[in-house]
Amino acid sequence: MTADPEHRSQAHWFLQGMRGLFSLPAIILMLSFVGFAAFTAEAKVPVGQVMFMTGIVWALPAKVILVGSMLSGAHVATAFIAVTLSSVRMMPMVAALVPEIRTSRTPTWILLILSHFVAITAWVFAMERVRDIPREGRVAFFAGFGITLTLTNIVLVGLVYGAVSEFPPIVSGCLFFLTPVYFLTSIWISARHRVIYFALGIGLALGWLFAVIAPQYDILLAGVIGGTAAWWGERTLRRREASQ
C-alpha cells in the first residue's frame, strides 16, 4: 500500500529532490560546468581553486566573472564588487522561492543555508515542481536537489579538469552556450506573469544594444533598464485594464 504523500518522511522528499540530478536542467548545467572546467584549465587556475570556487560561489556567471577578473589582473576589491553585483539577481529568486517552500515551523537558519543553492537552474527546477509536493516536504525536496547538484558539479569539475584542457575552443564555447539558452527558454516557459515576458523581451533587445555601445556595462544596463521598463509597462497596463 502506497503511503499518503502528505505523510511521507523528509528523507523520502530529500531523495526525490536528489533524483532531479537526472533531469534535463541538471544535465545541461553539468555540461556547462565541463565547459567552465575547460575555461579555467586554459586560464591555468589550479584545480583545487576551481573546485572550491564551484562550491562557494556556485552561480556559473559569477564564477566566469571572477575568473575573468583574475585574468585581467583586477584588484580584489574590483573582483568582489563585480561578483557581488552579478549575484544580486539571486535575491528576487530567493524571495520568490522561500514562501513556496517554508512552513510555519521551518527554522530560519535552514532557509539561510538553502539560499546558497539558489541559482537559475535550481530555482527554475524548484518553481516548476514544488507545487506538486506537500508543503511539509518542500524544504527537504529543494535541499536534496540543490545540495546534490552542487556537490556533483564540484566532483565533476575536479574529474574532467585535466581532460578538457585539450578541447577545441569551439567545443568549450558550445558547452558554455547551453546554459544561457536553457535559462532563457526555461524562464519563458515557467513564467506566470506577463511582466516576465516583457522583461525578457526588452532585456534581450537592450542587451544587444548595450553590447555595442557600452560593452563593459551591457548586462547591468540591460537588466536595470529592461526590468524597470517592463515593470512600468505592466503596471500601466493593469491600471488601464482596471479602469475599463
Side-chain angles (χ1 to χ4, degrees):
M1 182 174 173
T2 304
D4 184 346
E6 294 287 346
H7 297 94
R8 287 173 177 165
S9 68
Q10 296 298 301
H12 168 82
W13 294 115
F14 189 91
L15 290 172
Q16 290 299 308
M18 291 180 67
R19 290 177 58 186
L21 186 67
F22 302 100
S23 64
L24 182 61
I27 291 171
I28 290 177
L29 183 65
M30 287 187 281
L31 290 173
S32 299
F33 267 96
V34 173
F36 174 69
F39 173 53
T40 53
E42 184 178 351
K44 309 300 182 186
V45 180
V47 62
Q49 293 183 20
V50 177
M51 295 175 69
F52 179 78
M53 187 187 307
T54 300
I56 296 300
V57 180
W58 183 222
L60 188 55
K63 286 193 287 291
V64 173
I65 291 172
L66 178 58
V67 174
S69 299
M70 293 164 61
L71 292 176
S72 67
H75 190 275
V76 64
T78 303
F80 173 80
I81 293 171
V83 172
T84 300
L85 287 175
S86 76
S87 300
V88 166
R89 63 198 168 88
M90 306 299 178
M91 292 179 63
M93 297 180 193
V94 174
L97 179 63
V98 167
E100 296 288 342
I101 65 174
R102 74 182 306 172
T103 69
S104 59
R105 298 188 300 276
T106 306
T108 301
W109 65 269
I110 290 181
L111 296 173
L112 290 174
I113 292 173
L114 292 182
S115 67
H116 174 71
F117 302 101
V118 176
I120 290 287
T121 299
W123 184 80
V124 170
F125 180 88
M127 293 298 285
E128 288 179 344
R129 291 164 174 79
V130 292
R131 294 192 178 183
D132 297 326
I133 296 169
R135 183 166 287 275
E136 295 296 330
R138 293 179 182 181
V139 168
F141 177 82
F142 180 75
F145 180 70
I147 294 171
T148 303
L149 185 63
T150 303
L151 293 177
T152 300
N153 279 293
I154 292 173
V155 174
L156 177 65
V157 166
L159 291 175
V160 305
Y161 180 87
V164 295
S165 59
E166 305 300 322
F167 279 12
I170 186 64
V171 174
S172 300
C174 288
L175 289 171
F176 257 136
F177 193 63
L178 283 174
T179 298
V181 169
Y182 167 72
F183 289 171
L184 287 172
T185 54
S186 296
I187 293 173
W188 186 274
I189 292 170
S190 62
R192 298 189 179 99
H193 304 286
R194 63 187 176 188
V195 67
I196 298 177
Y197 300 120
F198 294 165
L200 282 173
I202 298 171
L204 286 171
L206 292 180
W208 174 85
L209 175 64
F210 288 124
V212 174
I213 64 176
Q216 302 92 335
Y217 307 101
D218 53 351
I219 296 177
L220 177 63
L221 291 173
V224 172
I225 296 176
T228 303
W231 171 81
W232 179 83
E234 203 273 339
R235 184 182 181 187
T236 302
L237 281 176
R238 276 193 286 112
R239 287 180 173 177
R240 187 172 299 171
E241 290 169 354
S243 64
Q244 290 177 352

